[in-house]
Amino acid sequence: MASKLPRATRVKNKTPAPIQITAEQILREARERQETESRPPKQKITDQTELADYRLRRRKEFESLISRVGWNKSVWVKYAEWEESHKDLKRARSIWERALGIDALNRDHTIWLKYVHMEMKNKFVNHARNLWDRAVFRLPRVDQLWYKYIHMEEMIGNVAGARGIFERWMEWMPDQQGWFSYIKFELRYNEIERAREIFERLVQCHPKVSAWIRFAKFEMKNGEIGRARNCYERAVDKFADDDEDAEQLFVAFAEFEDKCRETDRARCIYKFALDHIPKGRAEDLYSKFLAFEKQYGDKEGIEDAIVGKRRFQYEDQVKENPRNYDTWFDYIRLEESVGNKERIREVYERAIANVPPAEEKRYWQRYIYLWINYALYEELDAQDMERTRHVYRECVKLIPHHKFSFAKIWLLAAQFEIRQLRLKEARLLLGEAIGRAPKDKIFKKYIEIELHFGNIDRCRKLYEKYLECSPENCYAWSKFAELENSLYETERARAVFELAIDQPALDFPELLWKAYIDFEISEGEFEKTRALYERLLNRTKHVKVWLSYAKFEASAMSSDINQKKKCLQHTRDVFERAASYLMNSAPELKEERVILLDEWIDIENSFGELGDANIVRAKLPKKLKKRRQIETEDGPAAYEEYIDYLFPEQITNNMKLLDSAYKWKKQRVASKD
């Protein structure tokens, strides 16, 4: 069972104590009351017997430790150093050798270093040399052993011996730092040729850019410009295609030529490097080239360098997000401003290779303009018509027409063929477009092209195909009828309109009916126009239809007074029917009824003396301001004002209702009496 926490002590008196004690005072008092640390007494040895006893006791302690923890390096080191401190080097050597007899300690280079340090400190050079030989033989991959060995030989002036040790070390092919140490050793003794030979062996052992650059700088430092250039050229032959280190090599080579006042050579190296190194790895190279051109170049060279810098930035962006098509557009515009056709085509090809991830049109809407711009560039700038045709064909193949399509591509490809006077190919393209992606834009443009060439039969076939694909399209019906009317084929146009209005579903039927009515009016067929209005009213009794019908009747008046009266009567009949319908069948449409009456008054006034606006004014309602409650999600919140209309028949009905109520009350009173 878990132990319970002690109950919190409740402080009864919370007033401050008269004497305040600081934390520093508490600590000081605690320190003063601490007992002093007891230390063992110092032992003083006065004669050889006591010394021998002390040594024997200490050796027994060390041997006991070794028997228990012989794997512990620090025990052996302390034991050997203790014997060394007592000037018993023979015993110390014995301890070190016993330690090296343990395999785990034999592989620890620090044991060898401490052992050799003892021999060197006591100036036993041959002993130390023998130990170094054993150590480097046992652990040839530990560079510290070789460095210490060479340092010892050099300190005692044995240069030939140090060189021999270096040679033995180099047979093991150490890292570059070991070779550089050998080269520095030879240079300390002014052995230039030996150092050069070591550099040659180094670049063979470690064929890296850093080694070649050090070799070239060595030659440059010694005034051998030709040899230094040769080093760089040999390195370029080996590493020109290396993506990782080539940038460092070219920068160093160009800087070398710059120091040698070979400006043209340096510029050529920079340009060669920029053409061969991928843009994403050439950041430092671009910066160096830009600084170089600012120092030595002319206006064109500086602009070229700046373009290179921007090119690098775009490469970095498209590498990070290859489907950022806006970045590709900017990159392409940059290359087009430079004017290198091959580079422009390369960027276009890389851009269009990044196909959107899904077959959804929203992903393709920006991407498709890469193809369009590519085709326009090939046609207008490069003037390569075969490549332009190839671009359009590849784009059409790539688009998944079974899910969506782009009318713009089909039309641009067809217009290109027309510009090349290949009308047959253009028709084939547009026909394929209609078969695979029947879009309004394609039909409209195809019809426009055929109409431009005067191919009326083709236009009719296209309209038939258009209406077969989308029979609800009122625009197509209207344009078809308009075409027939323009050819003075009145009956054909009327037949097209009749077919159109008989369709079960239309997208904009009001536009179609208006076009049909306008057509009949333009032909002067007023009776047919009235019949059309009546047919339209059988389908819809919208207030706009009534107003249009009335305005048509009003517009049919002539200078003949009898005809004028007849026209006015027809107009009034339409308004009367409309007002009756809105009053009886649609009493909720009060605002539409007010609009109708206002228009009726205007038309009555337009007839001059024949018109009588007072007939209509008697039908006008009264405007009433009312309030209604606004309903929200949380319930009624506020009130708003609105305009309501009270028509004359409603007033009459209200009066009749009041009269009935008055009579009923009067009868009740009479019956009680």
Side-chain angles (χ1 to χ4, degrees), residues 327-340:
T327 304
W328 283 111
F329 285 125
D330 295 337
Y331 193 1
I332 290 166
R333 277 195 291 270
L334 173 67
E335 295 296 349
E336 287 180 346
S337 66
V338 176
N340 188 331

Side-chain angles (χ1 to χ4, degrees), residues 28-167:
R28 186 168 60 253
E29 290 179 359
R31 195 162 46 247
E32 289 173 355
R33 294 179 182 179
Q34 282 181 350
E35 295 181 0
T36 57
E37 184 180 355
S38 60
R39 295 181 181 178
K42 289 184 179 180
Q43 183 180 5
K44 291 185 179 180
I45 299 173
T46 57
D47 55 17
Q48 290 295 327
T49 304
E50 290 182 1
L51 179 59
D53 291 340
Y54 167 71
R55 287 177 177 174
L56 181 60
R57 188 170 61 254
R58 286 292 292 163
R59 285 180 184 132
K60 284 182 179 179
E61 291 174 0
F62 278 122
E63 290 294 340
S64 176
L65 280 173
I66 288 172
S67 65
R68 285 186 285 110
V69 288
W71 48 267
N72 194 332
K73 176 178 67 175
S74 62
V75 174
W76 291 98
V77 172
K78 288 178 181 178
Y79 191 8
E81 288 177 349
W82 182 81
E83 291 289 359
E84 182 189 356
S85 66
H86 286 268
K87 306 300 180 183
D88 196 343
L89 298 181
K90 186 176 180 181
R91 284 182 178 275
R93 288 192 188 101
S94 175
I95 294 164
W96 285 118
E97 291 294 340
R98 285 168 63 192
L100 292 175
I102 301 172
D103 189 58
L105 299 180
N106 197 313
R107 292 195 300 270
D108 190 346
H109 69 282
T110 58
I111 291 288
W112 291 97
L113 290 173
K114 290 181 181 297
Y115 189 5
V116 176
H117 180 68
M118 182 196 76
E119 298 290 2
M120 292 171 62
K121 187 169 62 173
N122 292 283
K123 299 182 180 179
F124 291 103
V125 177
N126 287 330
H127 279 281
R129 189 176 286 128
N130 291 334
L131 281 174
W132 284 126
D133 285 335
R134 288 167 61 193
V136 296
F137 179 78
R138 183 73 179 87
L139 303 170
R141 293 298 180 187
V142 180
D143 295 345
Q144 190 178 5
L145 297 175
W146 293 102
Y147 283 125
K148 293 281 188 180
Y149 191 6
I150 293 164
H151 179 66
M152 184 193 79
E153 295 292 354
E154 195 172 1
M155 289 295 291
I156 63 177
N158 187 8
V159 177
R163 186 176 289 117
I165 297 166
F166 265 122
E167 288 295 334

Side-chain angles (χ1 to χ4, degrees), residues 264-321:
D264 293 336
R265 279 178 174 270
R267 184 177 288 108
C268 291
I269 292 166
Y270 276 124
K271 290 184 177 180
F272 178 82
L274 292 173
D275 291 337
H276 284 76
I277 297 177
K279 306 299 183 296
R281 297 180 178 272
E283 182 177 1
D284 187 44
L285 185 65
Y286 277 117
S287 301
K288 297 283 186 183
F289 183 41
L290 184 59
F292 173 82
E293 287 294 346
K294 286 180 179 178
Q295 185 176 0
Y296 299 107
D298 53 7
K299 182 179 178 181
E300 293 182 0
I302 294 171
E303 289 179 354
D304 193 22
I306 292 172
V307 167
K309 182 69 175 177
R310 290 175 59 195
R311 187 179 290 128
F312 165 75
Q313 293 172 352
Y314 288 134
E315 285 288 344
D316 194 26
Q317 292 177 20
V318 298
K319 181 180 179 182
E320 182 180 352
N321 184 6

Side-chain angles (χ1 to χ4, degrees), residues 624-637:
L624 301 175
K625 274 190 179 181
K626 292 186 177 182
R627 296 178 68 199
R628 60 187 169 195
Q629 201 170 30
I630 302 173
E631 295 291 335
T632 61
E633 295 179 357
D634 300 330

Side-chain angles (χ1 to χ4, degrees), residues 551-578:
K551 288 178 180 178
F552 158 71
E553 294 291 358
S555 64
M557 63 181 178
S558 63
S559 57
D560 186 11
I561 190 66
N562 294 326
Q563 187 67 25
K564 215 171 187 181
K565 289 180 180 179
K566 189 177 180 181
C567 177
L568 177 59
Q569 189 58 44
H570 282 301
T571 306
R572 284 176 178 168
D573 290 342
V574 173
F575 275 119
E576 288 287 352
R577 289 169 59 195

Side-chain angles (χ1 to χ4, degrees), residues 344-583:
I344 294 169
R345 284 170 176 159
E346 177 195 352
V347 178
Y348 267 120
E349 291 292 339
R350 288 171 57 200
I352 61 178
N354 297 293
V355 181
E359 292 183 350
E360 295 183 26
K361 192 167 185 177
R362 59 194 178 97
Y363 294 118
W364 288 66
Q365 285 174 337
R366 201 82 180 109
Y367 168 73
I368 205 68
Y369 279 95
L370 288 171
W371 286 94
I372 293 172
N373 289 358
Y374 191 9
L376 293 176
Y377 166 76
E378 292 292 352
E379 181 185 3
L380 301 177
D381 295 342
Q383 296 185 353
D384 191 336
M385 305 308 162
E386 284 302 320
R387 285 184 70 93
T388 307
R389 189 172 290 112
H390 176 72
V391 171
Y392 279 125
R393 286 175 182 171
E394 291 300 317
C395 181
V396 168
K397 288 179 184 177
L398 184 64
I399 298 171
H401 300 286
H402 61 284
K403 289 195 173 182
F404 59 86
S405 186
F406 292 93
K408 185 182 288 291
I409 285 293
W410 293 104
L411 295 177
L412 287 172
Q415 288 168 346
F416 164 74
E417 296 294 353
I418 291 171
R419 288 194 293 273
Q420 302 304 310
L421 305 179
R422 293 161 59 97
L423 185 58
K424 182 179 178 182
E425 284 74 7
R427 283 176 174 148
L428 288 174
L429 267 173
L430 292 171
E432 183 183 357
I434 289 172
R436 298 179 69 179
K439 288 179 166 286
D440 289 349
K441 288 183 181 179
I442 297 174
F443 278 111
K444 291 174 185 177
K445 196 65 182 178
Y446 197 0
I447 292 168
E448 181 185 336
I449 291 170
E450 295 296 352
L451 190 60
H452 179 75
F453 288 109
N455 297 319
I456 305 302
D457 291 336
R458 283 183 179 273
C459 291
R460 285 177 175 146
K461 289 179 181 178
L462 286 173
Y463 271 122
E464 290 172 4
K465 183 67 176 176
Y466 191 2
L467 294 169
E468 182 182 338
C469 293
S470 56
E472 75 285 351
N473 194 326
C474 292
Y475 173 85
W477 287 107
S478 301
K479 286 295 181 181
F480 192 8
E482 184 181 328
L483 171 67
E484 297 294 353
N485 189 30
S486 65
L487 298 172
Y488 301 102
E489 295 283 354
T490 307
E491 292 303 321
R492 292 178 69 100
R494 187 174 287 115
V496 170
F497 275 124
E498 287 293 334
L499 284 171
I501 62 176
D502 288 339
Q503 296 300 316
L506 294 170
D507 52 2
F508 295 104
E510 63 277 9
L511 298 179
L512 182 64
W513 281 94
K514 184 178 183 304
Y516 194 4
I517 289 168
D518 291 342
F519 163 73
E520 294 293 0
I521 292 172
S522 65
E523 294 295 324
E525 298 287 348
F526 296 112
E527 290 300 325
K528 290 183 177 180
T529 305
R530 283 191 191 92
L532 273 177
Y533 271 117
E534 293 296 336
R535 289 166 65 187
L536 179 57
L537 286 171
N538 290 332
R539 297 195 177 196
T540 177
K541 289 183 171 57
H542 196 276
V543 67
K544 288 185 178 180
V545 178
W546 290 109
L547 290 175
S548 177
Y549 191 6
K551 288 178 180 178
F552 158 71
E553 294 291 358
S555 64
M557 63 181 178
S558 63
S559 57
D560 186 11
I561 190 66
N562 294 326
Q563 187 67 25
K564 215 171 187 181
K565 289 180 180 179
K566 189 177 180 181
C567 177
L568 177 59
Q569 189 58 44
H570 282 301
T571 306
R572 284 176 178 168
D573 290 342
V574 173
F575 275 119
E576 288 287 352
R577 289 169 59 195
S580 176
Y581 167 75
L582 292 174
M583 180 178 66

